Amino acid sequence: MTQRTSRPVQLAPSILSADWTRLAEQIGDAEAAGVDWISLDVMDGNFVPPITFGAQMASAVRSLTNLPIEAHLMVGRPEEQLEAFIAAGVNCITIHIESTRHPHRLLQQISEAGVEAGVTLNPGTPLSEIEAVAPICDRIQIMSVNPGWGGQQFIPESLSRIRQARTMLDACGREDADVAVDGGVNESTISSIVEAGANWLVAGSAVFNDRESVADAVARLRRALPAS
Ligand code: DX5
């Protein structure tokens, strides 16, 4: 069932799968390839097993690109991170609904700082958990893999969750907000993801890999998009 939104599709490569030994070059290649955002997968070894990086990496990436930057906080206590990531100059902060007792307050704080506010939820979390905060979100992000690692398989049940998220935002008057998808976005899944109603796509291993250049990878994804 097509639920496609009229909102422009935006591509947000995650540096999780980039070659960190040449991050400036990889981000520069992504920018030159015409991506729309850079996504940072912040992991603390608590909310998810791996540890990646903190706000210092956000500051470094801020110095490397003019693209808007999104910080996806896969951390146990996001309230302790907001100030540092806002100071680092990120343009969006996405928090997990499972990671805090006060999601509404955190999302308000993010918005009051002039930063886009995103909420995301693990594949096992019912969408009803985010209903109360949907009206104050600029983005609902559907995790289409269990968070923590790149290169995983897209969970097909995510398609109905994408449709539900689009319906939820439209029902509360947030037609202006995005439905994002994170995990397993690649040339074979991107069309059904967009047809289901998503317009903001995180892609890590489909953009940064050793099979092709970043430019070729981005072009491949763009070609796989459904005809507008
Ligand atoms: C959580 C991370 C990954 C990453 C995307 O695990 O958020 O989902 O951004 O990784 P790919 O695009 O390689 O599935």
Side-chain angles (χ1 to χ4, degrees):
M1 178 181 73
T2 295
Q3 169 116 9
R4 191 154 176 201
T5 171
S6 58
R7 295 181 61 69
V9 173
Q10 298 188 79
L11 205 47
S14 155
I15 65 166
L16 186 66
S17 296
D19 178 348
W20 292 9
T21 67
R22 51 193 188 90
L23 197 53
E25 180 188 332
Q26 294 258 269
I27 290 174
D29 289 349
E31 188 163 358
V35 302
D36 304 285
W37 287 74
I38 294 294
S39 178
L40 305 180
D41 285 312
V42 182
M43 303 181 190
D44 67 354
N46 172 315
F47 185 76
V48 291
I51 296 175
T52 54
F53 41 68
Q56 228 172 314
M57 174 63 90
S59 298
V61 172
R62 182 72 286 162
S63 72
L64 297 175
T65 180
N66 295 319
L67 287 173
I69 299 169
E70 181 245 1
H72 173 191
L73 300 186
M74 290 168 271
V75 300
R77 293 188 302 278
E79 48 277 345
E80 296 178 359
Q81 300 298 329
L82 291 195
E83 194 178 330
F85 277 90
I86 290 166
V90 301
N91 306 85
C92 174
I93 295 176
T94 304
I95 63 168
H96 270 266
I97 196 74
E98 306 92 347
S99 66
T100 174
R101 286 201 177 96
H102 297 287
H104 193 281
R105 186 175 73 201
L106 289 194
L107 291 162
Q108 281 181 322
Q109 282 176 317
I110 294 168
S111 297
E112 284 158 9
V115 174
E116 289 186 25
V119 69
T120 186
L121 62 177
N122 295 329
T125 303
L127 252 90
S128 56
E129 294 286 304
I130 60 169
E131 206 145 11
V133 298
I136 63 169
C137 287
D138 301 302
R139 183 163 302 120
I140 290 179
Q141 178 166 297
I142 300 297
M143 288 308 298
S144 37
V145 297
N146 285 295
W149 299 272
Q152 300 180 82
Q153 288 298 308
F154 178 83
I155 297 171
E157 290 75 15
S158 308
L159 293 174
S160 68
R161 290 163 64 86
I162 294 165
R163 282 190 281 272
Q164 290 172 60
R166 187 68 264 166
T167 302
M168 186 183 287
L169 287 170
D170 294 347
C172 66
R174 290 306 306 267
E175 291 84 349
D176 64 312
D178 297 316
V179 172
V181 173
D182 180 356
V185 176
N186 55 46
E187 69 174 320
S188 59
T189 59
I190 195 169
S191 182
S192 53
I193 289 169
V194 170
E195 292 289 0
N199 72 289
W200 204 92
L201 311 175
V202 178
S205 52
V207 173
F208 299 113
N209 59 62
D210 52 13
R211 300 184 300 277
E212 58 198 336
S213 69
V214 171
D216 288 349
V218 170
R220 180 191 299 274
L221 281 176
R222 294 266 191 216
R223 281 197 304 273
L225 283 169
S228 48

